[in-house]
Amino acid sequence: MAKATPSRRYGGRSADERREARRLRLREAALALFGTEGYAATSIERLCAEAGVTARHFYEEHEGREALLLALYESILAEAREAVTRALVRASDDPGDRVEQAVVAFLHSYLDDPRHARVATLEVVGVSPAMERRRRQAIHEFARLIELQAERLASEGTVPRRDFELASIAMAGAGHELVVEWLWREE
């Protein structure tokens, strides 16, 4: 009996296409379950059933639940970064407009689907030291976007020059906590 090769087509799709479809279904299942019932309450078996994949396929894609949570978190962060970047490109040079456009884009990226907000602000907290490092890093990444905008305004003479790092971290943290507060009030 010949062994199947990775390039073999099955159901009209290549092995790579099937793997990508499984990854997408697993991420969608993670969003559905982590974003509603929570990370701690969701088993790998439940994720597999929701995604319509076997446990073997799950472990071919992810080392465990935390790896899937991280993959989902990264996709949510990427969407938020893209939304904020697009908003800043569209915004006028007016500092107030730039801030408003960026904040609105960030909040919409999380709150248009509250599951995104829950995963990105609540479910990643306390999972592990590695996840906590990534969460803190994400806050600093958003803070750096804010800092770069402030530095741009300072270079144009719109605002006085100074060190914007801590103020930017405070603003990024405030945005994060605003989302958490919204989630708690929705329950």
Side-chain angles (χ1 to χ4, degrees), residues 32-93:
L33 297 171
F34 296 161
T36 57
E37 297 175 23
Y39 173 77
T42 303
S43 67
I44 289 174
E45 293 78 17
R46 185 95 187 278
L47 287 163
C48 290
E50 181 80 14
V53 302
T54 65
R56 181 189 72 132
H57 285 134
F58 177 92
Y59 285 108
E60 284 177 2
E61 304 304 330
H62 302 286
E63 290 181 13
R65 272 185 329 138
E66 184 176 335
L68 177 55
L69 176 64
L70 179 60
L72 175 60
Y73 184 48
E74 293 294 349
S75 71
I76 292 168
L77 292 173
E79 286 179 31
R81 268 192 307 275
E82 289 170 19
V84 170
T85 300
R86 281 192 312 271
L88 289 170
V89 167
R90 288 190 317 264
S92 71
D93 286 335

Side-chain angles (χ1 to χ4, degrees), residues 27 37 51 55-56 71 74 99 101 108 123 135 144 182:
R27 217 173 22 248
E37 297 175 23
R56 181 189 72 132
E74 293 294 349
V99 169
Q101 294 296 323
H108 275 290
E123 296 305 322
R135 187 183 75 78
R144 184 66 181 144
W182 182 84

Side-chain angles (χ1 to χ4, degrees), residues 9-40:
R9 297 189 75 73
Y10 183 79
R13 296 188 300 177
S14 70
D16 288 341
E17 291 168 332
R18 291 189 308 274
R19 282 193 75 185
E20 183 57 32
R22 280 193 299 268
R23 275 192 293 272
L24 180 60
R25 287 195 318 271
L26 281 165
R27 217 173 22 248
E28 289 170 351
L31 179 61
L33 297 171
F34 296 161
T36 57
E37 297 175 23
Y39 173 77

